[in-house]
Amino acid sequence: MKGQMDTEMGKIIVDEDVLAKYAGSAAVECFGVVGMASVNMKDGIVKLLKRDSLKHGVNVAVKDGKLLIELHIIVAYEVSILAVAKNLVDNVKYKVEEYTGLEVGKITVCVESVKVVD
């Protein structure tokens, strides 16, 4: 399902990949987030994604006209996961709503790994 808005001029439809890229981009800007994660369910292996693969660590769905966003992240070692998650949710919600005009209903943060950063 795609994000959709009705305006006086007609409908605006936003593809889920676009929404995922916005959310992923906003996520990696946050302090303590090393990057987005890709999880191989079969092997249970977590992989740090390159900057051009941001949407792959993000799942977006639309329910009752609101966006549901799931972020799979890797956090830096020795940072507060709670503080990172709160900052992440606030930043992603603000930027996605500001840029797309769509309402975010829920953001789920999945911390998949921790990485020591030099």
Side-chain angles (χ1 to χ4, degrees), residues 6 33 38 44 63 85-86 90 92 94 99 105:
D6 291 318
V33 176
S38 173
K63 184 176 181 183
K86 284 182 178 181
D90 290 344
V92 170
Y94 172 77
Y99 293 143

Side-chain angles (χ1 to χ4, degrees), residues 22 91-102 104:
Y22 268 116
N91 194 47
V92 170
K93 182 178 186 327
Y94 172 77
K95 289 199 172 176
V96 169
E97 288 182 343
E98 184 72 19
Y99 293 143
T100 67
L102 298 168
V104 174

